[in-house]
Amino acid sequence: MEQWAGFGITFKTIFRKTFTQGYPQKGKEKVTMPRFHGRHQLNRWPDGLEKCVGCELCAWACPADAIYVEGADNTEDDRYSPGERFGHVYQINYLRCIFCGLCIEACPTRALTMTNEFKISDDTRLKMIYEKQDLLAPLLPGMEQPPHPRRLGDTEQAYFLGLPDTGTPDTRTGSTSGAAK
């Protein structure tokens, strides 16, 4: 009689509709929680320069060895970040990534964050290695594509507090861009 109990469970659930039936054509998009760990993003300063300084701390913190960073020096003519260095090569191998978030905790400049995007599958292994241009945040209105000189202030303190020439905090993103609270 016990062997028929298993068949009973099978027949009870075999005709039940699953949430994946008809995906992605039918149904509502799955809503993720605000702190969901999805695809990574390399953020920018309000003038368009990259926040990544090429320190490689995210690569050191990654337990799956999924991140590769190669830093390079900025020059006055060729400036990609406001500091001395920038991330020249930045790669994340999503076949290795376990989405633990240790890389974003290790980042001292909040250059690396995780978005809520979870549809990152592809048909080849090569497409699963995201390069720097795939990870960079899009340019918002008022931002300029690097390389260019710093635009948010004459001094480093003014720049990193996000103070433009007017002396008021930059409010385009709804925050004070890193100012102490």
Side-chain angles (χ1 to χ4, degrees), residues 38-40 58-59 62-69 89-100 103 112 114 120-122 124-132 134-135:
R39 189 183 66 81
H40 297 79
C58 54
C62 181
D65 199 24
I67 301 175
Y68 175 72
V69 181
V89 177
Y90 202 101
Q91 296 175 341
I92 297 181
N93 185 344
Y94 280 109
L95 295 173
R96 289 185 176 177
C97 182
I98 59 174
F99 299 93
C100 63
C103 53
L112 187 65
M114 295 178 100
I120 57 172
S121 64
D122 222 316
T124 65
R125 289 177 176 254
L126 192 58
K127 291 180 184 175
M128 293 303 294
I129 299 174
Y130 280 51
E131 301 283 337
K132 181 179 173 180
D134 304 323
L135 297 167

Side-chain angles (χ1 to χ4, degrees), residues 50-65:
E50 302 164 10
K51 284 189 173 185
C52 179
V53 293
C55 67
E56 303 175 18
L57 286 175
C58 54
W60 282 95
C62 181
D65 199 24

